[in-house]
Amino acid sequence: MDAAPFRFDHVGSLLRPVRLQEARARAMEGKCSADELRAVEDDCIREVVRRQEEVGLDAVTDGEYRRTFFHTDFLQRLGGVTIEEGEFKAAFRKDDGTTVGFKPPTMHITGKITHDEPIQGRDFDFLKAATTRTPKVTIPSPSMLHFRGGRKAIDEAVYPSLDDFYADLSAAYADEIADLADRGCRYLQMDDTNLAYLCDDAIRESTRARGDDPDELTHTYCRLFNEAIKSRPADMKVCVHLCRGNFKSAWVAQGGYEPVAEILFNEMNIDGFFLEYDDQRSGDFAPLRFVPKGKRVVLGLMTTKHPELESKADLERRIEEAAKYVPLDQLCVSPQCGFSSTAHGNDLTESDQWRKLALLKEVAEEVWG
């Protein structure tokens, strides 16, 4: 497959090396300048690009090495957005039943949403120059600015009408995407937790309780995506990754894709869907029956939350099961999420990370040739 998403792909974030973690800590203490930190980031990104190429990835990212969080680092650079301490009440849970005491920062809309300057442009230029493969940009989905805070997080004096908020938000994203396109970006992934959270019965109920209809939100978010990308070049591939929460190997939501599948797969005008399918929390493959021709599904069969290496036979069997609902030619394979959606990283080592990616490469070659 010579176009994104690729048969063997990945979500984007990678574990931060110790050298980078130490430099970032020094920077936070005022002991390292922004230029000095960026020089360390540059060196570490060159190395992680080389490792991705060696493991056989056609799509290469910067590992999100310049970010602390997958979403707020980007979103707070839009005009009108302010960041406050975490207010989102869903707890992060681990598979052993323990919880992780963390709440991500919450975005509040205190002014008109604007795109005042390129956000990913400089980082993309560096990545593009560092690889011979396809440089892939990962950014948070625009719906991340709405779902967690809802109407209460958007100043009614600034946006009496949510339609105007969505219009400004999609326009700001369109400006960013146009800038990336001009720089040569042809593979863009938007990372979204909200649509996966809307697969969780408890979160759907809490969403109704605050006055939002879960199904209408799914329609709204699809329109928001479509408006944001409608002017992209014809050869720019755009995908979305649906995530149920990923912080220090802990998660937030559970539930299969059935509640959003028919709307999502048919109304979102994108090229591919990265779907988590690493455990029973993700449900079965039946929702894939709604995937239309021309769109690809990247099966996130391998977990990034645990170091244990999956069985190649089990991974290949699960691809066969998925192919009962959507043609094998429309399927790809990847880890279920990033290895480090935040700078904190998941509970495994860099060695574990590369072993897992190498195994997925073998699986892809055996399944698709």
Side-chain angles (χ1 to χ4, degrees):
M1 182 183 290
D2 59 0
F6 299 98
R7 294 295 187 204
F8 165 47
D9 216 314
H10 69 135
V11 171
S13 68
L14 297 163
L15 293 169
R16 277 51 158 187
V18 173
R19 180 188 174 201
L20 178 57
Q21 294 172 348
E22 291 174 346
R24 189 171 293 279
R26 290 196 303 273
M28 292 180 68
E29 295 170 0
K31 299 176 181 178
C32 171
S33 71
D35 287 343
E36 290 170 332
L37 174 59
R38 191 167 184 92
V40 175
E41 292 171 345
D42 288 351
D43 287 346
C44 292
I45 289 169
R46 290 188 191 97
E47 173 62 17
V48 83
V49 164
R50 182 184 65 81
R51 293 298 304 270
Q52 290 173 80
E53 292 175 346
E54 288 177 348
V55 84
L57 284 161
D58 290 307
V60 169
T61 73
D62 63 7
E64 300 182 10
Y65 277 11
R66 304 191 198 274
R67 301 185 200 173
T68 301
F69 299 98
F70 83 94
H71 58 321
T72 56
D73 294 62
F74 177 95
L75 294 170
Q76 67 187 350
R77 291 183 61 184
L78 293 172
V81 178
T82 57
I83 301 293
E84 297 188 11
E85 290 300 317
E87 300 166 356
F88 190 55
K89 303 303 183 183
F92 280 79
R93 293 172 281 179
K94 290 197 172 186
D95 292 340
D96 62 7
T98 60
T99 59
V100 177
F102 169 76
K103 292 177 182 176
T106 301
M107 282 74 66
H108 285 255
I109 311 307
T110 56
K112 290 288 187 180
I113 299 294
T114 55
H115 182 261
D116 300 329
E117 62 180 358
I119 299 175
Q120 290 296 128
R122 183 184 179 193
D123 297 346
F124 173 77
D125 290 345
F126 182 87
L127 176 62
K128 182 183 177 185
T131 184
T132 58
R133 308 289 172 83
T134 300
K136 174 180 174 178
V137 175
T138 60
I139 62 175
S141 74
S143 62
M144 297 296 297
L145 264 185
H146 173 264
F147 183 74
R148 290 187 177 180
R151 171 74 262 191
K152 290 182 178 179
I154 302 169
D155 191 326
E156 291 197 36
V158 177
Y159 285 113
S161 166
L162 280 181
D163 288 342
D164 293 336
F165 162 72
Y166 289 130
D168 285 352
L169 179 55
S170 62
Y173 263 75
D175 287 346
E176 174 69 9
I177 292 168
D179 178 74
L180 285 168
D182 288 345
R183 295 171 187 267
C185 174
R186 290 301 181 268
Y187 189 9
L188 178 69
Q189 175 186 299
M190 295 200 229
D191 295 315
D192 184 276
T193 61
N194 314 313
L195 291 160
Y197 285 14
L198 288 173
C199 298
D200 185 301
D201 288 340
I203 295 178
R204 288 177 70 85
E205 186 54 41
S206 65
T207 300
R208 291 188 191 94
R210 77 179 191 190
D212 286 315
D213 178 271
D215 293 332
E216 187 52 44
L217 272 186
T218 305
H219 289 295
T220 297
Y221 292 161
C222 287
R223 290 193 296 270
L224 182 60
F225 269 76
N226 294 344
E227 284 297 307
I229 67 173
K230 68 181 182 181
S231 297
R232 62 172 164 153
D235 60 346
M236 175 187 276
K237 301 299 181 181
V238 178
C239 295
V240 65
H241 169 241
L242 270 61
C243 174
R244 291 173 173 79
N246 189 46
F247 173 74
K248 290 186 176 180
S249 295
W251 47 272
V252 172
Q254 55 191 334
Y257 295 99
E258 198 72 30
V260 303
E262 187 170 11
I263 300 170
L264 174 68
F265 296 145
N266 289 283
E267 293 187 11
M268 193 173 284
N269 299 327
I270 61 174
D271 301 286
F273 301 88
F274 281 73
L275 303 180
E276 295 190 331
Y277 266 119
D278 60 319
D279 60 27
Q280 72 283 354
R281 289 187 300 108
S282 303
D284 60 25
F285 295 119
L288 300 183
R289 70 190 184 277
F290 293 114
V291 176
K293 293 183 183 300
K295 295 183 181 181
R296 295 171 182 167
V297 172
V298 187
L299 301 171
L301 301 177
M302 176 173 280
T303 190
T304 64
K305 289 180 165 59
H306 309 297
E308 294 78 17
L309 200 60
E310 286 82 350
S311 155
K312 183 191 295 186
D314 286 346
L315 293 170
E316 293 178 355
R317 174 183 55 78
R318 299 206 68 207
I319 294 171
E320 290 179 4
E321 291 175 1
K324 296 175 182 176
Y325 298 96
V326 63
L328 184 64
D329 189 55
Q330 288 178 244
L331 295 175
C332 309
V333 68
S334 78
Q336 129 271 347
C337 195
F339 288 89
S340 192
S341 297
T342 73
H344 312 81
N346 281 348
D347 297 338
L348 70 172
T349 67
E350 289 181 77
S351 178
D352 297 327
Q353 168 183 270
W354 297 116
R355 278 198 300 270
K356 282 177 172 280
L357 288 169
L359 178 58
L360 276 185
K361 171 66 172 177
E362 292 179 21
V363 168
E365 288 178 341
E366 291 191 7
V367 172
W368 289 282

